[in-house]
Amino acid sequence: SGMTPHGFMLDAIAEKAEQAELRADFDTVAEARYARIVDSGKTIPWNAMRHYLEQRLAGKSVKRPAARKLAR
């Protein structure tokens, strides 16, 4: 493969560091989105959002579903 063991280890470390950064970014976005849901008390039910996304993927013009208060 033409790579030394040391080079292989450096690549593996770099890959793990990149994965950790991506995971941290994902967690930050998820926490921000959850905070917005908690603050507003509103969300879009998955079945409504899925229908909306499927219609958009099919090239159809469809109204975006409205956020509703969470059921508690």
Side-chain angles (χ1 to χ4, degrees):
S1 75
M3 184 179 285
T4 65
H6 185 256
F8 183 79
M9 287 186 290
L10 291 177
D11 281 355
I13 291 168
E15 183 179 321
K16 280 298 211 180
E18 182 181 357
Q19 288 175 352
E21 277 185 44
L22 291 172
R23 180 63 189 200
D25 291 345
F26 176 85
D27 290 343
T28 300
V29 169
E31 288 294 330
R33 289 179 179 177
Y34 184 70
R36 281 197 312 249
I37 290 170
V38 170
D39 287 345
S40 70
K42 293 182 179 181
T43 188
I44 298 172
W46 170 239
N47 61 347
M49 182 53 80
R50 181 176 178 158
H51 175 75
Y52 167 76
L53 293 172
E54 287 172 343
Q55 295 301 304
R56 291 285 309 267
L57 284 171
K60 298 179 181 176
S61 179
V62 62
K63 184 179 174 188
R64 185 172 184 201
R68 295 185 268 174
K69 285 282 187 185
L70 286 170
R72 296 204 182 223

